[in-house]
Amino acid sequence: MKALKINPIVIILINIIAPTMYIFISGRYLQIYLVSFATCLLVLMGRFKRILALWIVYALMFFGYYFSINVEGLKFVGLFLIVLVQAVPCLALASILITKYNSAQLLSSLETLHVPRILVVAVTITLKYIPTFKREFGYILESMRLRGIKFTWKRPIKSFQYFIVPQLFRCAALAEEVTAAGLVKGIDAPVKRTSFYEEKVTALDISILTVFAVGLIGGFIWR
Amino acid sequence: MALNVITADNLNFKYEESTEGIYDVSFNVEEGSVVLLTGNSGSGKSTLLKCLNGLIPFVTDGELSGDLLFTGDKYSELKMHKLNKSIGSVFQNPRSQFFTDNTTAEIVFPLENYGYSKAEMVKRIDELKEEFGLSELLDRDIYTLSSGERQMIALACSVSMKQKVLLFDEPSANLDYGNAMKLGKIIQKLKEEGYSIIVADHRFYYLNGIIDKVLFMDHGKLKVCDSEEEFKNGAYDTRSFDIFKLDIPFAHSEIKSEVVAKLENVSYKNILHDINLKLNKGEIAVLVGNNGAGKTTLAKAMCESIKPESGKVDIKDVPFFIMQDPDYQLFGTSVINELSLVKDDIKEIKECLDYLGLLPYRHKHPFALSGGQKQRLQIAMAMLCDRDVIIFDEPTSGLDIYSMKSVSEEILKLKEKAGILVISHDYEFIRHIADRIVYLEDGKIAEDFYLDENTLSKLNHIFIKMQEDRCNEKNQD
Amino acid sequence: MKKIKIKDVVMVALLSALYFVLYMICGSLSMVFGAFGHAISPGICALITGTVMYFVSRKVARFGQFMIMQAILMLLCAIMGAGYIPWIITSMIGALIADFIASRETKPSVLKVALASGFFHVGQACGVFIPCWFFLESYREEWISRGQTPEAMDEMIKYTSGAMGVIATVVVFALSVAGVYLGYLILKKHLDKKDAMAA
């Protein structure tokens, strides 16, 4: 079977809505439903290894829950496990999202969601600088070592200060440059922003979301 | 007569918080010409550039008066976003001018902001691919590009909306010699295609022979030279137009034969191959080579930041490494505090600051210093550090000629007590300081010689070769 | 109270990236302490990011700064598949309160910033726990049918949600406040000098 191409917005919407439903419908039902729904979706996308991983993690956590809930003193563990396990199907879908789609595609879904342009630009900047800063923290640690003021847990506050201060002040200086670069690229143009990577929402996407919604309604009846 | 794309008439700008500004600036830029905007740091060069791209008055607050026209329309009546559909800007810092991590996404970023349809964007990308030879560069991770490739992407972005006027902000600061020369050729080609180009830079050797007009800023005032000749004959130090004709005394002096750092058969990944290098006390060795030749990796191996796969690094103490970007290295709460982290001896610190002319700024926050002052602060650290080996990574990028000369003198003084390794592609600077040249090519030491009258031609030859390597790269695209 | 400008938004976006990186570092650090570490990781993160919060209040100082920061973080999580409605709602409410406390003047007191950071992070934490409470309730029936006494079960649930509630509010709040004071301690000298120079 050919793997289907699904708009990232579908997964994003499912993950935004699904955990919310625990407030309204029976957790038992929702749990079973989400696992089966996520499995079907992953089958459609042809991610069979991911399904296996999902099931194994799920089974292990459930086993832990059944084991501990009946043992006096370990009940807490069981309770925590059953709370954690509810997030597993959503995490499986999220992992597809970040491995299969690139950041530009993910950002384009903000356009589909009609997020205000200034926030789209802001999130674009944040997303771009996360890996940059991560890398630069490495440079700073290296430069601390060469300066002879190595990071040490013996003086945590001083070390943390050396670690964070250069980066904070760099942000302040960068803000000016990034604003300038952004303005000449029209980040403030008063027209509706478009996205090169935005995909049209297809009939398939809509049917998946419809099936998902029907399933949720089923949860209300089940009770 | 050619049409004027930009006209300034009696333009004045005064910053809100400082006394700097520009006064009585009048000039025009003709369509299809190449204009060099130059002057020392703090001369008002960047202020004028900000006026031209509209960042003044849009972002920077201050008092603006006089007229600035774009093809006959007043800037003040054009909105920033309209202006930028006609004027493309290329900034110098690769770190802050890109908004995405993917080259294609970056090129379409302005188009997205201006609401182009997907079909229009696809068409435009094809056109740009054709015009700039980008076929190898599309859909790549920007971080993995070389500085020359990044410059091409920045250029493509700036004309993505078919802008015909281009502003370059210090393009040479982040380019090696070969890439800067290549940029000169590209600018010439753009000019032939009818683009009007303004380049703001304090190095201009790569524009030799293609400049139509020079706008020379000095203390906020403008002097216009209507030809390259007129500028060359003026009072400003323009000798560096033809860098190989410079007459600079050789720095080569007596070397103490005390080895302070030794690399023996060092290899690292696919970057360094069998490197053998001995650094002596009292000498300045300059490491040259195109970007990607392994210069920084070699320096890192010397600092034991990376562990070579084979071979041995023999060094007593960790070298003092002065990074190209000072911002990673500044940790103190003030200039004095910064230096006391190196050596807690207030008397010596003060002497050192006085020597470097930093004494008036001693209580300032290191991040509040200008680029040149930060550079000097780093040199102060090196002076105080008492280590045998000091490494500089591109200490002169972004410095004007006069600052470059004073940095050279300071580095020359440092060699009295240490062995110094400098990574640089600034020819003029190298001529001022180098005792010895180490040429790295594809991770191997291709040449290693002491610089004097007899070996000068060797150095010149290396620079010509580096330029040719870059230009040949282009033909392969 | 000045209106927020593009430059301020860019600065907040950059600092949000820094916030996010610190969050990730804290997340992986608290993994070392196992399950316990995981439970208190929001608090640890609030402690470490307090410096960023303090910096925002000193450098941006515009109304709406914390809302924008939270919105960026939420959208970022959403497009990575980790955002959901209750979390977004409580986080934004927390950020709104934070803005009301500490963004209406250019130099709010450290205490105000600390309180703001408290609400900002408690807002984040609450959204994580609220669905969990409902979830535990829904399981109550089943446990009882399996032979647990209703009293024992109620006790357990009360205790667990109570424990989570305490972590969500008191601990996170306290650590956020401590984080801002830590930030103040770290940045005091850095920022004072700059103010003195500007004056």
Side-chain angles (χ1 to χ4, degrees), chain B residues 326-368:
Chain B
D327 293 4
Y328 300 121
Q329 287 200 305
L330 303 176
F331 302 101
T333 55
S334 68
V335 168
I336 286 201
N337 175 267
E338 188 73 65
L339 294 175
S340 65
L341 289 174
V342 181
K343 190 178 191 181
D344 209 356
D345 180 344
I346 191 72
K347 197 172 146 271
E348 212 175 316
I349 289 176
K350 283 213 168 134
E351 278 170 17
C352 179
L353 286 176
D354 194 30
Y355 171 72
L356 292 167
L358 282 175
L359 207 51
Y361 308 101
R362 64 188 179 280
H363 295 303
K364 251 193 157 177
H365 194 272
F367 275 88

Side-chain angles (χ1 to χ4, degrees), chain B residues 97-117:
Chain B
Q97 71 170 320
F98 295 126
F99 284 80
T100 66
D101 48 17
N102 177 285
T103 50
T104 304
E106 190 60 44
I107 293 173
V108 295
F109 183 73
L111 303 174
E112 293 177 326
N113 285 331
Y114 283 97
Y116 280 53
S117 73

